[in-house]
Amino acid sequence: MDFDALFERLYPSLYRYLHRLTGDADVAEDIAQEAFVRLLRQPLPEAEVRPWLFTVAMNLVRDRARKSERRIRLLGGAPPLTTVTPGPDEDMERAERIQSVRRALEKLPDRDRQLLLMREEGFKYEEIAGVIGVAPASVGTLIARALRRFVEAYKAHGAVDESHR
Amino acid sequence: MNHTDSGALIAWLDGELPVAVRDEMGAHLAECDSCRNELADVRDLAREFGDAMGLLNGRIPLLSARLAVEQRADRSRFNRSERLIASGLAKAAAITLLVAGAAAAAIPGSPVRQWVTEVVARMVGSRTEAPAPVAVPTVVEPQVQEARGPAVTVPSGGTIRVSIHALPASASLTVKVVDREGVFLRALGADDPVRFVPRSDASVEVFDVRTGLVIELPRSLTSASIDVDGRPYYVKDAGGERYIGPGATRTRDGVTFRSDSR
């Protein structure tokens, strides 16, 4: 297994997935790196690496979420809302659209968010079923429902281009 | 073929259906406006989602991430090495202490050996069964006969000496300490031809006891002695009371000496 080749091929996908899932670039980077560090200690057949990486990353996300929820409970506050600060190349309108996407994603149940984001990364339904823990035959139906929920939430922020409808 | 649902349509778009099912669905879609509309709707949903996700795309710091993974892996390996070294050092220290302790324990007279001996003795002692309780000797109450014979009370000024002569082997001598003034002597047998001969306020001699003799001494006496034919049976002085006659048996009231034990 050529680790460098695997890293170049899989890291962008994992990072992108985690960034979209968590809405936090630092968390995504930290978890993606940790997953690859663990991969170094866990030689696997190449075909199994990608689902394994995403499964490990999902477990790390859940662990972090549990700790975060506990901290929020202890502090008695509400979870921080993901905010987007426009970069130098981003105008205000684009920043607002990104904010709408993030809010629509945050409104989805965890499973829907994972389903959609894994599909977006090109996972086969069988792999998605394995990572999410659902029957492979149900993945299509679950994805269709999740797409509808996302678009409804996105529309609620007025960010969908009506010309697409 | 029945109308297709949105789940099957998204699977059809994603190429997740078996070839036979896909062909069958394609034929149905060619003839069914409703399902084509549904397919268009699902395709739009998927495109909208894809476009939205495209907004989130940013620069991915691949090189710095690769370096960070390497550093974290090295740190992880280092931490594991540290744990292994610490574990090895701890084992080595334990073995050294064990060997040193064993060597010290092997030296006769060493404090370690003494300590080990004590510990082992305690362990062995704690494992053995508790010793059976020692039988408490029961006090045998001698058959005290009621004194009915002749008696005499000798006044005492804090000291007394009783000298008994020719006490038969079968006769008993009982000494009691009582809360009463005056030394009281009485023969057991009513027919005993006993004779009490006071020599002074502090001395009396007793003759011809046949059955036995009871002597009651005031507790307030500071000095007393009772002897039989010159042999001391009872002494009280600054050192306390001493019952030294033969066959002494303690009773509730005092001590009885059996002459036949002589």
Side-chain angles (χ1 to χ4, degrees), chain B residues 98-110:
Chain B
L98 197 64
V99 170
I107 300 170
S110 71

Side-chain angles (χ1 to χ4, degrees), chain A residues 8-20:
Chain A
E8 283 187 20
R9 182 160 61 86
L10 298 179
Y11 183 85
S13 174
L14 182 60
Y15 171 84
R16 192 166 47 236
Y17 169 81
L18 289 167
H19 188 200
R20 290 170 176 172

